Amino acid sequence: MELDNLDFEGLLENMVPLLLTAVKSILIALLVYFIGKWVINFTLRATDRIFIKYEVEPSLASFLNSFLKGLLYIVLILVVLSTLGVEVTAFIAVLGAAGLAVGLALQGSLANFAGGILILIFKPFKVGDTIEAQGTLGSVEKIAILYTTVRNFDNKVVTIPNGALANNSIVNFSIKPTRRIDMAVGVAYGTDLKKTRQVILDTLKKDERIHGDPAPAVYFTNFGDNSLDLTVRCWANADDLWPVFWDNMEAIKESLEENAIEVPFPQRDVHHFFPEGKPEIKG
């Protein structure tokens, strides 16, 4: 029994320092965890204020905050494990390999993700803008991290990958408040172009939606097959573009007719040659 007591006492003497060391490590790890958690929350609140100050798109701000939160918690967990004496090198290697595998598997999605971030940061267009991109012309309905949704003018919804949008040309019809309107008008050969120009300009002056600066202009642009081709240019607010175009195309036609200015239609003169002489016509 005495030997057993000695062994038990020796075991206790060895275990007490180990337990104290373990308790100390756990307490330090808990302290590190709670301090780290406070730092993470402080950092996230600070980034929220920065996003609000610089008017970052809400969807992008939410995603970046979530991504940053996850990244910071992974770092905190690794630090806590290291404080407890756990070898974290293996964990880091596993995370790196997993990240590489996921990156290779999701190359297209990552390209769309990067494109979405670029679009939300640099804002080449916003929801409600009319754009032309990737063969689609329409109004932007939604900008997500991976895809942008565009509704075209016959009410079809087109989903475009953000990677394609970020790496190709985009025409934004809404970014400027005014737009130039081009109208093509053809008149018959022999028409007095000065009179025609004045008739068209007088017609445009009646529309209050058309801006006086820059002033409307009419240019003779081409000798067409059947007509003398004119280009009519004027400026209006972007929202009035199509109504101004449609209304004035009709108004110009009516003004030309009122002033006896002919708007020609396609026609051909056919000349029949008779190498052996014109045949007699029996009547």
Side-chain angles (χ1 to χ4, degrees):
M1 285 295 293
E2 291 181 0
L3 289 174
D4 290 341
N5 287 336
L6 289 173
D7 291 341
F8 181 71
E9 290 175 359
L11 182 61
L12 283 176
E13 289 178 359
N14 292 327
M15 286 184 63
V16 168
L18 293 175
L19 287 173
L20 291 174
T21 302
V23 170
K24 181 181 177 181
S25 297
I26 291 172
L27 291 175
I28 293 174
L30 288 173
L31 182 63
V32 169
Y33 173 77
F34 286 112
I35 292 175
K37 187 175 180 181
W38 180 86
V39 171
I40 289 173
N41 290 333
F42 176 81
T43 303
L44 294 176
R45 287 194 298 270
T47 55
D48 269 337
R49 289 193 293 270
I50 292 171
F51 291 150
I52 292 171
K53 179 180 179 181
Y54 290 99
E55 299 180 350
V56 177
E57 188 78 21
S59 56
L60 176 60
S62 175
F63 174 81
L64 291 178
N65 246 3
S66 299
F67 180 78
L68 181 61
K69 181 179 180 180
L71 183 63
L72 290 175
Y73 267 105
I74 289 174
V75 173
L76 178 58
I77 290 171
L78 291 175
V79 172
V80 170
L81 290 175
S82 178
T83 303
L84 292 172
V86 178
E87 182 60 48
V88 297
T89 306
F91 286 100
I92 295 174
V94 170
L95 287 173
L100 179 61
V102 171
L104 291 174
L106 301 175
Q107 290 183 49
S109 296
L110 290 175
N112 292 335
F113 165 74
I117 289 179
L118 291 174
I119 289 170
L120 291 170
I121 289 176
F122 294 105
K123 298 180 180 179
F125 56 84
K126 62 182 184 297
V127 172
D129 283 357
T130 299
I131 66 169
E132 183 176 6
Q134 299 297 295
T136 297
L137 172 63
S139 176
V140 179
E141 286 199 331
K142 181 181 178 182
I143 305 172
I145 290 295
L146 297 179
Y147 299 95
T148 292
T149 303
V150 177
R151 178 175 55 82
N152 61 23
F153 295 117
D154 58 356
N155 214 32
K156 294 177 183 176
V157 176
V158 182
T159 301
I160 306 175
N162 285 334
L165 286 176
N167 291 290
N168 290 281
S169 298
I170 301 170
V171 180
N172 190 330
F173 295 95
S174 303
I175 199 167
K176 295 295 184 181
T178 59
R179 292 276 307 279
R180 193 184 76 191
I181 302 167
D182 290 1
M183 292 173 277
V185 177
V187 294
Y189 276 89
T191 300
D192 185 342
L193 293 182
K194 291 182 178 179
K195 176 184 176 181
T196 302
R197 181 179 289 108
Q198 192 59 51
V199 168
I200 294 174
L201 291 175
D202 290 343
T203 302
L204 297 179
K205 287 179 182 177
K206 298 176 184 178
D207 193 335
E208 295 180 353
R209 296 168 297 180
I210 296 176
H211 296 179
D213 185 21
V218 179
Y219 301 101
F220 172 51
T221 53
N222 185 48
F223 292 94
D225 291 338
N226 305 288
S227 64
L228 299 173
D229 298 333
L230 306 174
T231 296
V232 181
R233 289 180 175 174
C234 60
W235 289 80
N237 293 338
D239 293 339
D240 295 331
L241 184 141
W242 288 113
V244 168
F245 177 86
W246 291 321
D247 292 346
N248 282 279
M249 283 294 288
E250 185 172 345
I252 289 171
K253 174 186 176 296
E254 292 174 355
S255 296
L256 294 177
E257 290 175 348
E258 289 172 2
N259 287 273
I261 298 173
E262 182 184 353
V263 178
F265 53 86
Q267 52 188 309
R268 292 288 183 274
D269 292 332
V270 179
H271 300 274
H272 194 167
F273 294 94
F274 300 93
E276 299 176 356
K278 188 175 181 181
E280 294 182 3
I281 298 176
K282 296 180 182 181

